[in-house]
Amino acid sequence: MGSVTLRPYGPGMTGTTSASGLHLPRYLREDPSVRTPVAFDGYRSTALRAPLRTPVDLPHRLTEVTGPDPVLAELTLRNGGEAVGQRILVHGRVLDSDGRPVPDALVEVWQANASGRYRHVVDTWPAPLDPHFDGLGRVVTDSLGRYEFMTIKPGAYPWGNHHNAWRPAHIHFSLFGRAFTQRLVTQMYFPDDPLFGQDPIFNSIPAAARYRAISRYDLERTQDNWALAFEWNIVLRGSDQTPFETDDDGDVA
Ligand SMILES: [Fe+2]
Protein backbone atom coordinates (compact mmCIF):
# COMPACT_ATOMS: atom_id res chain seq x y z
CA MET A 1 0.00 0.00 0.00
CA GLY A 2 2.99 2.24 0.42
CA SER A 3 3.26 2.93 -3.29
CA VAL A 4 -0.28 4.23 -3.60
CA THR A 5 -0.46 7.80 -4.86
CA LEU A 6 -3.18 9.85 -3.27
CA ARG A 7 -5.04 12.65 -4.94
CA PRO A 8 -7.67 14.82 -3.34
CA TYR A 9 -11.10 14.56 -4.95
CA GLY A 10 -11.63 18.28 -4.91
CA PRO A 11 -13.49 20.99 -3.04
CA GLY A 12 -15.74 19.72 -0.29
CA MET A 13 -14.51 16.14 -0.54
CA THR A 14 -12.27 14.52 1.98
CA GLY A 15 -11.58 11.16 0.38
CA THR A 16 -8.81 9.97 -1.85
CA THR A 17 -8.42 8.14 -5.08
CA SER A 18 -5.61 5.96 -6.17
CA ALA A 19 -3.36 5.95 -9.19
CA SER A 20 -2.78 2.21 -8.83
CA GLY A 21 -6.32 0.95 -9.30
CA LEU A 22 -7.51 0.82 -5.71
CA HIS A 23 -11.12 1.86 -5.25
CA LEU A 24 -11.16 4.05 -2.20
CA PRO A 25 -14.38 5.31 -0.65
CA ARG A 26 -14.83 9.02 -0.23
CA TYR A 27 -16.85 10.92 2.30
CA LEU A 28 -18.29 14.38 2.58
CA ARG A 29 -17.42 16.28 5.70
CA GLU A 30 -20.29 16.42 8.15
CA ASP A 31 -22.28 19.63 8.09
CA PRO A 32 -21.70 21.16 11.56
CA SER A 33 -25.17 22.73 11.52
CA VAL A 34 -26.79 19.27 11.65
CA ARG A 35 -24.22 17.48 13.78
CA THR A 36 -25.17 16.70 17.38
CA PRO A 37 -22.91 18.87 19.54
CA VAL A 38 -20.43 17.06 21.79
CA ALA A 39 -21.30 19.46 24.62
CA PHE A 40 -24.89 20.43 25.26
CA ASP A 41 -26.26 22.67 27.99
CA GLY A 42 -28.52 20.73 30.34
CA TYR A 43 -26.96 17.38 29.36
CA ARG A 44 -24.57 17.28 32.29
CA SER A 45 -22.30 14.41 31.38
CA THR A 46 -21.39 16.04 28.09
CA ALA A 47 -19.61 18.76 30.06
CA LEU A 48 -17.29 16.10 31.49
CA ARG A 49 -16.50 14.25 28.30
CA ALA A 50 -16.53 16.93 25.63
CA PRO A 51 -13.18 18.34 24.48
CA LEU A 52 -12.39 21.78 25.77
CA ARG A 53 -10.70 22.87 22.58
CA THR A 54 -11.99 22.94 19.05
CA PRO A 55 -11.24 19.58 17.36
CA VAL A 56 -8.78 19.60 14.51
CA ASP A 57 -10.03 18.20 11.20
CA LEU A 58 -7.54 15.62 9.99
CA PRO A 59 -7.33 14.82 6.29
CA HIS A 60 -8.98 11.56 5.28
CA ARG A 61 -6.16 9.67 3.68
CA LEU A 62 -5.67 6.00 2.96
CA THR A 63 -5.69 4.90 6.58
CA GLU A 64 -8.97 6.67 7.30
CA VAL A 65 -10.92 5.33 4.34
CA THR A 66 -9.72 1.74 4.18
CA GLY A 67 -9.68 -1.27 6.46
CA PRO A 68 -6.93 -3.67 7.41
CA ASP A 69 -3.95 -3.93 5.11
CA PRO A 70 -4.81 -6.70 2.63
CA VAL A 71 -1.43 -8.34 2.38
CA LEU A 72 -2.05 -11.69 4.03
CA ALA A 73 -2.69 -13.71 0.89
CA GLU A 74 0.29 -16.02 1.38
CA LEU A 75 -0.23 -18.35 4.36
CA THR A 76 2.52 -20.86 3.61
CA LEU A 77 5.46 -18.61 4.49
CA ARG A 78 5.35 -17.39 8.05
CA ASN A 79 7.98 -16.83 10.70
CA GLY A 80 10.83 -17.23 8.28
CA GLY A 81 10.03 -20.65 6.89
CA GLU A 82 7.68 -22.86 4.90
CA ALA A 83 4.59 -24.50 6.33
CA VAL A 84 4.30 -28.28 6.19
CA GLY A 85 1.52 -29.76 4.08
CA GLN A 86 -0.07 -29.80 0.65
CA ARG A 87 0.06 -26.34 -0.91
CA ILE A 88 -3.26 -25.23 -2.35
CA LEU A 89 -4.36 -22.10 -4.17
CA VAL A 90 -7.86 -21.16 -3.00
CA HIS A 91 -9.54 -18.63 -5.23
CA GLY A 92 -12.90 -17.46 -6.47
CA ARG A 93 -15.22 -14.51 -6.81
CA VAL A 94 -17.48 -12.70 -4.38
CA LEU A 95 -20.87 -12.01 -5.97
CA ASP A 96 -24.01 -10.16 -4.95
CA SER A 97 -27.57 -11.42 -5.28
CA ASP A 98 -27.69 -10.43 -8.96
CA GLY A 99 -24.50 -12.30 -9.74
CA ARG A 100 -22.50 -9.10 -10.02
CA PRO A 101 -18.95 -9.09 -8.69
CA VAL A 102 -18.38 -7.36 -5.37
CA PRO A 103 -15.11 -5.40 -5.51
CA ASP A 104 -13.30 -4.27 -2.37
CA ALA A 105 -14.90 -6.96 -0.20
CA LEU A 106 -12.80 -7.84 2.82
CA VAL A 107 -12.20 -11.60 2.81
CA GLU A 108 -10.67 -13.11 5.94
CA VAL A 109 -9.87 -16.80 6.47
CA TRP A 110 -8.73 -18.94 9.36
CA GLN A 111 -7.99 -22.63 9.36
CA ALA A 112 -6.28 -25.55 11.04
CA ASN A 113 -2.83 -26.62 9.89
CA ALA A 114 -2.06 -29.76 7.90
CA SER A 115 -2.38 -31.82 11.08
CA GLY A 116 -5.80 -30.43 11.89
CA ARG A 117 -4.71 -28.15 14.73
CA TYR A 118 -5.44 -24.47 15.21
CA ARG A 119 -2.83 -22.17 16.63
CA HIS A 120 -4.90 -21.16 19.62
CA VAL A 121 -4.56 -21.64 23.36
CA VAL A 122 -7.76 -23.65 23.70
CA ASP A 123 -6.89 -26.09 20.93
CA THR A 124 -4.86 -28.67 22.80
CA TRP A 125 -5.55 -31.97 21.07
CA PRO A 126 -2.35 -33.97 20.43
CA ALA A 127 -1.59 -32.94 16.87
CA PRO A 128 1.59 -30.95 16.17
CA LEU A 129 1.67 -27.21 15.68
CA ASP A 130 3.63 -25.87 12.73
CA PRO A 131 5.97 -22.99 13.57
CA HIS A 132 5.57 -21.69 10.03
CA PHE A 133 1.79 -21.74 9.83
CA ASP A 134 -0.66 -19.59 11.75
CA GLY A 135 -3.67 -20.23 9.52
CA LEU A 136 -4.73 -16.59 9.14
CA GLY A 137 -5.30 -14.80 5.86
CA ARG A 138 -6.85 -11.56 4.67
CA VAL A 139 -7.34 -10.07 1.21
CA VAL A 140 -9.63 -7.59 -0.51
CA THR A 141 -11.40 -8.53 -3.75
CA ASP A 142 -10.26 -6.82 -6.93
CA SER A 143 -12.45 -4.90 -9.38
CA LEU A 144 -13.89 -8.20 -10.70
CA GLY A 145 -14.68 -9.48 -7.21
CA ARG A 146 -11.80 -11.97 -7.26
CA TYR A 147 -9.83 -13.19 -4.27
CA GLU A 148 -7.10 -15.77 -3.83
CA PHE A 149 -4.94 -17.28 -1.12
CA MET A 150 -2.00 -19.62 -1.19
CA THR A 151 -2.33 -21.88 1.80
CA ILE A 152 -2.02 -25.45 3.08
CA LYS A 153 -4.79 -28.01 2.89
CA PRO A 154 -6.15 -28.18 6.43
CA GLY A 155 -6.40 -31.51 8.22
CA ALA A 156 -9.50 -32.95 9.85
CA TYR A 157 -9.80 -32.61 13.62
CA PRO A 158 -11.84 -34.21 16.40
CA TRP A 159 -14.37 -31.98 18.14
CA GLY A 160 -16.23 -33.98 20.72
CA ASN A 161 -19.73 -33.45 19.42
CA HIS A 162 -20.36 -37.17 19.54
CA HIS A 163 -18.21 -40.28 19.84
CA ASN A 164 -15.25 -40.05 17.48
CA ALA A 165 -16.62 -36.97 15.71
CA TRP A 166 -14.25 -35.43 13.16
CA ARG A 167 -14.76 -32.26 11.19
CA PRO A 168 -14.25 -32.54 7.45
CA ALA A 169 -11.37 -30.40 6.20
CA HIS A 170 -12.59 -26.81 5.95
CA ILE A 171 -11.51 -23.19 5.82
CA HIS A 172 -13.46 -20.56 7.74
CA PHE A 173 -14.37 -17.42 5.79
CA SER A 174 -15.60 -14.05 6.98
CA LEU A 175 -16.66 -11.55 4.33
CA PHE A 176 -17.75 -7.96 4.36
CA GLY A 177 -19.38 -6.67 1.21
CA ARG A 178 -20.41 -3.09 0.62
CA ALA A 179 -22.51 -2.85 3.75
CA PHE A 180 -22.80 -4.41 7.18
CA THR A 181 -25.83 -6.33 5.93
CA GLN A 182 -23.47 -8.06 3.53
CA ARG A 183 -21.53 -9.88 6.23
CA LEU A 184 -21.12 -13.59 5.75
CA VAL A 185 -19.35 -16.05 8.03
CA THR A 186 -19.14 -19.50 6.57
CA GLN A 187 -16.94 -22.51 5.86
CA MET A 188 -15.50 -23.81 2.63
CA TYR A 189 -15.20 -27.56 2.19
CA PHE A 190 -13.26 -29.75 -0.21
CA PRO A 191 -14.84 -32.07 -2.77
CA ASP A 192 -15.61 -35.68 -1.92
CA ASP A 193 -14.58 -35.50 1.70
CA PRO A 194 -15.31 -38.90 3.32
CA LEU A 195 -16.23 -37.14 6.58
CA PHE A 196 -19.27 -35.32 5.16
CA GLY A 197 -21.61 -38.15 6.08
CA GLN A 198 -21.06 -37.93 9.83
CA ASP A 199 -20.65 -34.16 10.20
CA PRO A 200 -23.75 -32.47 11.61
CA ILE A 201 -22.49 -28.98 10.73
CA PHE A 202 -22.17 -29.83 7.06
CA ASN A 203 -25.44 -31.72 7.16
CA SER A 204 -27.25 -28.85 8.86
CA ILE A 205 -27.04 -27.03 5.52
CA PRO A 206 -30.20 -27.82 3.53
CA ALA A 207 -29.38 -30.61 1.09
CA ALA A 208 -30.13 -28.45 -1.94
CA ALA A 209 -27.61 -25.84 -0.83
CA ARG A 210 -24.75 -28.04 0.36
CA TYR A 211 -22.94 -27.97 -2.96
CA ARG A 212 -22.51 -24.21 -2.54
CA ALA A 213 -20.28 -24.82 0.47
CA ILE A 214 -17.95 -27.20 -1.42
CA SER A 215 -15.08 -25.89 -3.49
CA ARG A 216 -14.26 -27.24 -6.93
CA TYR A 217 -10.94 -28.80 -7.84
CA ASP A 218 -9.52 -26.44 -10.44
CA LEU A 219 -7.04 -28.14 -12.72
CA GLU A 220 -6.57 -24.94 -14.74
CA ARG A 221 -5.20 -23.00 -11.79
CA THR A 222 -3.07 -25.82 -10.45
CA GLN A 223 0.55 -24.70 -10.42
CA ASP A 224 2.90 -27.19 -12.02
CA ASN A 225 5.25 -28.78 -9.56
CA TRP A 226 3.98 -26.48 -6.82
CA ALA A 227 0.34 -26.42 -5.72
CA LEU A 228 -3.15 -27.81 -6.26
CA ALA A 229 -5.99 -25.35 -6.77
CA PHE A 230 -9.58 -25.08 -5.60
CA GLU A 231 -12.19 -22.58 -6.76
CA TRP A 232 -14.96 -21.35 -4.52
CA ASN A 233 -17.36 -18.60 -5.48
CA ILE A 234 -19.25 -16.88 -2.70
CA VAL A 235 -22.67 -15.25 -3.03
CA LEU A 236 -23.39 -12.73 -0.29
CA ARG A 237 -27.19 -12.53 -0.58
CA GLY A 238 -30.16 -13.79 -2.53
CA SER A 239 -31.52 -17.18 -3.46
CA ASP A 240 -28.07 -18.43 -4.47
CA GLN A 241 -26.50 -17.23 -1.25
CA THR A 242 -23.64 -19.23 0.15
CA PRO A 243 -24.89 -20.96 3.33
CA PHE A 244 -24.16 -19.05 6.51
CA GLU A 245 -22.40 -20.71 9.37
CA THR A 246 -25.09 -21.61 11.87
CA ASP A 247 -23.28 -23.24 14.72
CA ASP A 248 -20.08 -23.48 16.66
CA ASP A 249 -17.93 -26.28 15.28
CA GLY A 250 -15.93 -26.74 18.41
CA ASP A 251 -12.88 -24.91 17.19
CA VAL A 252 -11.41 -21.79 18.57
CA ALA A 253 -12.89 -19.07 16.42
FE1 LIG B 1 -12.99 -25.13 12.17
Side-chain angles (χ1 to χ4, degrees), residues 110-112 118 155 157 167-172 187 201 245 248-253:
W110 62 99
Q111 64 167 92
Y118 288 92
Y157 59 83
R167 292 296 333 277
H170 60 277
I171 298 177
H172 295 266
Q187 300 177 28
I201 294 182
E245 184 171 274
D248 179 4
D249 70 341
D251 67 37
V252 295

Side-chain angles (χ1 to χ4, degrees), residues 37-234:
V38 292
F40 188 74
D41 286 345
Y43 185 178
R44 292 175 55 191
S45 57
T46 63
L48 298 173
R49 67 186 183 217
L52 299 175
R53 300 179 190 174
T54 304
V56 176
D57 276 338
L58 295 174
H60 289 182
R61 297 179 66 85
L62 194 61
T63 302
E64 285 71 39
V65 298
T66 59
D69 197 356
V71 297
L72 300 175
E74 170 57 81
L75 284 77
T76 72
L77 301 170
R78 296 281 162 91
N79 299 319
E82 285 188 286
V84 171
Q86 172 69 62
R87 287 188 207 93
I88 57 171
L89 175 73
V90 177
H91 76 100
R93 300 174 77 198
V94 179
L95 305 167
D96 70 11
S97 54
D98 299 320
R100 293 174 302 192
V102 180
D104 309 317
L106 178 65
V107 181
E108 295 172 291
V109 295
W110 62 99
Q111 64 167 92
N113 68 19
S115 301
R117 186 161 167 190
Y118 288 92
R119 179 173 291 284
H120 193 282
V121 66
V122 305
D123 189 352
T124 58
W125 82 283
L129 287 170
D130 182 341
H132 302 301
F133 190 77
D134 59 20
L136 304 173
R138 179 194 301 131
V139 297
V140 171
T141 56
D142 68 8
S143 60
L144 297 177
R146 296 176 299 195
Y147 74 89
E148 65 180 56
F149 297 93
M150 182 63 78
T151 186
I152 294 292
K153 177 131 187 246
Y157 59 83
W159 66 298
N161 183 71
H162 53 273
H163 176 66
N164 214 9
W166 292 78
R167 292 296 333 277
H170 60 277
I171 298 177
H172 295 266
F173 274 69
S174 166
L175 295 102
F176 277 106
R178 293 181 177 280
F180 288 121
T181 55
Q182 292 180 326
R183 175 110 199 263
L184 181 71
V185 177
T186 187
Q187 300 177 28
M188 185 202 92
Y189 296 89
F190 294 87
D192 304 320
D193 195 312
L195 296 171
F196 284 155
Q198 54 82 66
D199 182 47
I201 294 182
F202 178 75
N203 289 298
S204 69
I205 303 169
R210 276 175 211 155
Y211 73 94
R212 295 182 200 142
I214 304 172
S215 57
R216 179 184 75 84
Y217 176 60
D218 186 352
L219 181 62
E220 291 289 310
R221 293 296 305 275
T222 295
Q223 297 182 8
D224 186 40
N225 210 29
W226 190 254
L228 298 179
F230 293 88
E231 179 186 33
W232 194 48
N233 295 322
I234 304 160

Side-chain angles (χ1 to χ4, degrees), residues 5-66:
T5 303
L6 302 174
R7 306 172 186 149
Y9 272 110
M13 302 301 294
T14 63
T16 54
T17 188
S18 158
S20 62
L22 281 176
H23 302 277
L24 303 181
R26 53 185 182 176
Y27 306 101
L28 282 169
R29 288 280 185 205
E30 282 186 276
D31 178 353
S33 70
V34 296
R35 180 194 298 165
T36 303
V38 292
F40 188 74
D41 286 345
Y43 185 178
R44 292 175 55 191
S45 57
T46 63
L48 298 173
R49 67 186 183 217
L52 299 175
R53 300 179 190 174
T54 304
V56 176
D57 276 338
L58 295 174
H60 289 182
R61 297 179 66 85
L62 194 61
T63 302
E64 285 71 39
V65 298
T66 59

